[in-house]
Amino acid sequence: MKHHDWLGLKVELPRKRQLQLTILSFLAPMAVWCAISYVPWLWHPLYRVTDPGSVDYFIEDMDVKRADFEHELAKARAAGTALPQGYLTNPIYLPAPHKVLRAFYYAFKTPPRLPNEPWLHQSLGHSIRTIFLGFVVSSVFGLPLGILCGTYRFFAKLQEPFIEFFRYLPAPAFGALCVAVLGIDDPPKIAIIFIGTFFQQVLVIANTVRKVDPGLLEAAQTLGASGWKLVRRVIIPASITDVYTDMRILLGWAWTYLIVAEVVGTMSGITYFINQQARYRNFDNVYAAIAMIGIIGFSTDLFLAWLGTVLFPWKRKSRSAQNKRAWFAWLRPKMAEPIVQTIEPVEDKPEIKLHVTQ
Amino acid sequence: MSLSELKLPDYREQSPDVSARFERIRKRPIILKVRELKKSFGSNGNTHIVFDHVSLDVHRREFICVVGPSGCGKSTFIRIVAGLDEATSGEILLDGRAVAGPGSDRGMVFQGYTLFPWLTVKRNVMFGLQMHGKALDTAEAEARQWLDMVGLAKFENLYPHELSGGMKQRVAIARALANGPRILIMDEPFAALDAQTRCQMQAYLMQIWKKVDVTILFITHDLDEAAYLADRILVMSCNPGRVAEFIENPVPRPRSAEQFISPEFLALKKRLEEHIHPPVEVPEKLPMIKLTEAGDEVE
Ligand SMILES: Nc1ncnc2c1ncn2[C@@H]1O[C@H](COP(=O)(O)OP(=O)(O)O)[C@@H](O)[C@H]1O
Ligand SMILES: [Mg+2]
């Protein structure tokens, strides 16, 4: 295989290779993890004691440092007393892959230890609800404001300097304030996600909307569009695909604010679950829960990417685009049924008078 | 033999047919009247005059080409006519009314295709009609008619990115004409196309113009294109931009590719060349610098 086939500068790789690399990007870290977990002479700094033997401070299932264990083993051997038994292991905070995999199943099956604690699926549901509400509330205000700022210099100059300032204030800093104002339950958490998302959202979307090709606006103007029609029929549809991509990225950012938001007030959601499991030293459950966040975020994004190709058929490369109707029907007026037509040669057309002759 | 030695008729000589045609054109009403138009950029002290003293009259259904060196303000001029820019002084009357801002009485076709990528071909053509509140089925029927005229009826449901450059520009023409403009303004519309497609597009444009009651203001830097298409050619000079000459094209209609070597065509082309590419003094002996040790001497 030729070298430049894989490492061409700015050359699009064939689909098959893209897929191979995607799989590899997940497999490579997994392979490292497996190697550390299953190859005994890689790392494994501890001994798990299975039989304390004659060592008085060893107890069963205790983890001791490799050097200490070997020292005690040598001492027992020299003294001729019962030998301690054990096997090499990694620290408890690095469980083996199969344990985490098993935890994916058992974490959902394990009933909570305390009567009023939520199950894992309830914790996840709570987190998703918090994210969703925070993001929706942010978008309800941020999307129109961003489009307004991107369209009219007036609003840009009126809003953006303050927003620019505000976005440097870290959202977690408002935690105590939010609790004081909104109580200890969900509202302050939603507020934190709102604060973390909203200001970025306005600026990012305004910037995207500003990038609309001015040629399209001029073309629309020469066709008789003006004012609000220009916004609705040109600026919004021209920027909608890029705004949609922005929203996907912003949703990813909202997830990073989730953990902060959930420790505000009473700890809740997936953060609470992770915290409790870490306290019980169920680290396999901790990993499973963290991975769950990744899986939910990643699959949401994949879904939204696919949804994008359905919503915006003109962004599709294939010819099949013509058959699929965009879902954003409000951008286009309702269609009448196509009229059956005959195609005449150009020459046979009568002269077309555009105007009544004076 | 160089072009200057070639025995050519005067570019102002017109055959009886041609002069009769110009006689008829002059009798038509004036549709576009430009008076002492001036455009400058920058504020006092540091102004750059793009053009001034531009005056011209265009008669109804005339085909006007505008040529001139790059940067002499052709685009600026027609953007002002289209209402996309404002003149510094002077006036433009369209059908006797002063133009202010863009309007659908002036259709525009840009060099960049500027089709709306989110609309299908048919929807693009319907855009202007809908802006004027036409009912959907009427707008659709009219759009079909225009697409038919530019030979794209079969492609009405494709999106612009699925079309070739020439097809896109035909859609742009259909879109502009669907609005029923008094004049169609085109800024180097075929400059980005390959030579073969450009010829095809010129033929298309001629056909369309023959059938449709529209006046065309067409910018180009291609002198052949201007000579092939125009009734009259507005030649602009540079720094500041002025009307150098408004030439009546002596090439008889209907035009065809054979005329590219007719005496009238060559005479006109020679005249245009003199305007656009004034003779450049090249010193007889240029100092030779040898960059390589190659053995074969170049003559
Ligand atoms: N917005 C502007 N500000 C300053 N100068 C401009 C602006 N637009 C155009 N010009 C100047 O006007 C001149 C004419 O430009 P243009 O009309 O594009 O020429 P052409 O189309 O004939 O090549 C150029 O020299 C350009 O520098
Ligand atoms: Mg130009």
Side-chain angles (χ1 to χ4, degrees):
Chain A
M1 203 167 293
K2 266 184 274 169
H3 180 70
H4 67 255
D5 280 350
W6 285 92
L7 296 176
L9 274 179
K10 296 208 154 210
V11 178
E12 199 58 67
L13 288 170
R15 282 191 75 88
K16 197 174 146 204
R17 286 188 180 176
Q18 286 183 22
L19 190 67
Q20 285 168 356
L21 291 174
T22 306
I23 293 169
L24 187 66
S25 77
F26 280 94
L27 280 187
M30 290 296 274
V32 172
W33 185 20
C34 286
I36 290 177
S37 300
Y38 299 132
V39 182
W41 37 265
L42 273 181
W43 203 32
H44 286 75
L46 299 174
Y47 266 97
R48 169 75 45 88
V49 179
T50 50
D51 175 8
S54 61
V55 185
D56 46 7
Y57 71 90
F58 280 8
I59 35 174
E60 223 179 298
D61 273 349
M62 176 193 194
D63 286 353
V64 289
K65 279 191 191 140
R66 206 162 162 167
D68 292 347
F69 187 89
E70 275 156 10
H71 177 71
E72 294 297 338
L73 188 65
K75 251 180 27 187
R77 212 170 257 142
T81 49
L83 299 180
Q85 305 287 325
Y87 58 90
L88 279 168
T89 183
N90 277 328
I92 190 161
Y93 56 77
L94 187 74
H98 72 272
K99 286 194 180 146
V100 174
L101 257 161
R102 211 173 45 199
F104 265 104
Y105 178 71
Y106 284 110
F108 283 103
K109 284 281 171 192
T110 319
R113 292 206 185 177
L114 303 176
N116 58 346
E117 264 182 23
W119 289 67
L120 173 57
H121 63 267
Q122 288 171 321
S123 299
L124 274 175
H126 194 159
S127 291
I128 291 172
R129 198 168 63 233
T130 310
I131 282 266
F132 181 76
L133 285 175
F135 193 72
V136 165
V137 173
S138 170
S139 302
V140 162
F141 296 100
L143 207 51
L145 199 57
I147 292 173
L148 222 50
C149 286
T151 307
Y152 299 104
R153 287 298 125 87
F154 173 81
F155 291 104
K157 277 281 158 274
L158 188 67
Q159 309 283 355
E160 284 187 23
F162 176 73
I163 291 173
E164 194 78 55
F165 161 76
F166 209 102
R167 90 187 160 112
Y168 281 101
L169 310 182
F174 291 87
L177 200 61
C178 288
V179 170
V181 176
L182 297 166
I184 55 168
D185 292 327
D186 281 356
K189 302 176 202 303
I190 294 167
I192 292 290
I193 291 177
F194 175 86
I195 293 171
T197 312
F198 175 75
F199 299 98
Q200 310 282 350
Q201 195 171 30
V202 174
L203 294 178
V204 166
I205 288 175
N207 233 4
T208 301
V209 172
R210 259 194 290 275
K211 279 198 218 113
V212 167
D213 178 7
L216 293 180
L217 283 177
E218 290 180 347
Q221 279 176 305
T222 62
L223 291 168
S226 62
W228 172 240
K229 272 186 187 167
L230 217 46
V231 177
R232 193 174 87 91
R233 302 296 294 275
V234 183
I235 291 179
I236 292 179
S239 57
I240 191 103
T241 52
D242 289 340
V243 166
Y244 184 80
T245 310
D246 289 345
M247 295 287 275
R248 271 170 59 196
I249 294 168
L250 285 159
L251 185 59
W253 292 355
W255 274 98
T256 64
Y257 281 103
L258 177 70
I259 304 298
V260 173
E262 283 182 339
V263 297
V264 164
T266 50
M267 200 187 281
S268 71
I270 196 72
T271 313
Y272 178 74
F273 181 85
I274 289 173
N275 233 47
Q276 287 304 93
Q277 295 301 318
R279 194 171 291 169
Y280 305 144
R281 303 186 74 70
N282 291 338
F283 283 100
D284 36 4
N285 281 359
V286 170
Y287 281 92
I290 293 175
M292 204 71 76
I293 299 178
I295 291 168
I296 292 172
F298 189 64
S299 50
T300 310
D301 195 63
L302 282 184
F303 169 74
L304 291 177
W306 169 81
L307 188 62
T309 63
V310 177
L311 291 176
F312 315 119
W314 64 93
K315 282 282 165 186
R316 255 176 275 158
K317 290 283 175 283
S318 72
R319 290 239 149 188
S320 66
Q322 50 179 302
N323 302 323
K324 305 254 172 70
R325 292 277 304 282
W327 285 9
F328 269 42
W330 61 276
L331 289 171
R332 316 144 145 225
K334 284 211 178 63
M335 263 320 276
E337 277 301 300
I339 303 159
V340 182
Q341 50 171 345
T342 52
I343 299 164
E344 296 167 46
V346 171
E347 287 78 9
D348 298 340
K349 278 267 156 193
E351 178 159 320
I352 295 167
K353 281 258 181 274
L354 290 175
H355 312 277
V356 187
T357 326
Q358 294 97 329
Chain B
M1 188 169 62
S2 75
L3 193 62
S4 53
E5 294 161 41
L6 198 65
K7 198 85 192 81
L8 287 173
D10 192 286
Y11 71 97
R12 281 161 295 198
E13 263 174 42
Q14 291 171 356
S15 68
D17 283 0
V18 173
S19 58
R21 178 176 155 75
F22 278 114
E23 205 54 51
R24 287 201 302 278
I25 287 178
R26 272 193 287 274
K27 288 210 187 90
R28 293 185 200 155
I30 291 173
I31 194 162
L32 179 73
K33 196 190 262 282
V34 179
R35 282 291 168 271
E36 286 295 314
L37 202 69
K38 174 180 171 175
K39 176 70 182 176
S40 56
F41 284 110
S43 50
N44 40 356
N46 191 19
T47 50
H48 166 61
I49 297 177
V50 181
F51 57 78
D52 57 5
H53 303 299
V54 172
S55 300
L56 58 126
D57 290 335
V58 178
H59 297 268
R60 184 164 167 182
R61 277 200 87 194
E62 245 188 320
F63 198 128
I64 305 290
C65 278
V66 184
V67 299
S70 164
C72 71
K74 304 183 294 292
S75 296
T76 310
F77 169 61
I78 60 155
R79 284 176 58 84
I80 292 172
V81 175
L84 295 170
D85 277 344
E86 265 180 69
T88 309
S89 64
E91 63 174 352
I92 300 175
L93 300 175
L94 185 73
D95 269 334
R97 281 187 307 266
V99 309
S104 50
D105 48 358
R106 284 146 292 147
M108 183 104 182
V109 175
F110 302 84
Q111 180 182 345
Y113 307 112
T114 68
L115 293 181
F116 304 123
W118 61 92
L119 297 178
T120 58
V121 164
K122 183 175 65 189
R123 288 279 171 180
N124 263 284
V125 179
M126 286 164 69
F127 186 91
L129 298 167
Q130 291 181 311
M131 285 299 121
H132 292 94
K134 279 240 167 90
L136 257 171
D137 39 357
T138 352
E140 202 179 347
E142 278 184 43
R144 283 229 171 83
Q145 189 193 2
W146 287 105
L147 281 174
D148 214 1
M149 160 159 276
V150 296
L152 290 175
K154 275 183 290 182
F155 303 97
E156 60 172 39
N157 287 324
L158 294 192
Y159 283 96
H161 73 90
E162 297 169 296
L163 303 180
S164 70
M167 287 156 88
K168 280 186 208 171
Q169 214 51 304
R170 268 143 72 192
V171 178
I173 292 170
R175 185 178 68 171
L177 287 177
N179 246 2
R182 302 290 286 162
I183 68 176
L184 181 65
I185 303 168
M186 309 177 87
D187 188 357
E188 308 205 10
F190 309 147
L193 304 176
D194 60 273
Q196 202 183 344
T197 315
R198 196 182 315 148
C199 283
Q200 218 179 356
M201 291 297 292
Q202 288 162 359
Y204 259 115
L205 185 61
M206 291 292 267
Q207 270 204 11
I208 292 167
W209 174 65
K210 261 183 225 160
K211 286 179 196 153
V212 182
D213 170 23
V214 69
T215 311
I216 296 181
L217 199 55
F218 186 105
I219 291 191
T220 177
H221 60 243
D222 180 345
L223 301 181
D224 285 326
E225 187 169 67
Y228 178 60
L229 293 174
D231 284 322
R232 286 191 291 161
I233 300 171
L234 182 77
V235 187
M236 286 180 75
S237 62
C238 229
N239 287 323
R242 295 270 163 84
V243 177
E245 197 175 2
F246 208 174
I247 302 174
E248 293 187 343
N249 189 342
V251 185
R253 288 186 190 274
R255 307 253 168 87
S256 64
E258 289 93 75
Q259 286 167 319
F260 278 90
I261 45 167
S262 71
E264 298 96 340
F265 191 96
L266 290 177
L268 173 67
K269 180 104 186 282
K270 176 163 168 264
R271 179 64 185 165
L272 293 174
E273 288 282 2
E274 284 162 8
H275 274 299
I276 310 293
H277 312 292
V280 186
E281 294 281 313
V282 181
E284 194 55 36
K285 252 196 146 37
L286 283 171
M288 284 269 277
I289 303 167
K290 227 172 169 182
L291 293 177
T292 59
E293 289 296 323
D296 49 341
E297 288 295 325
V298 182
E299 277 294 310

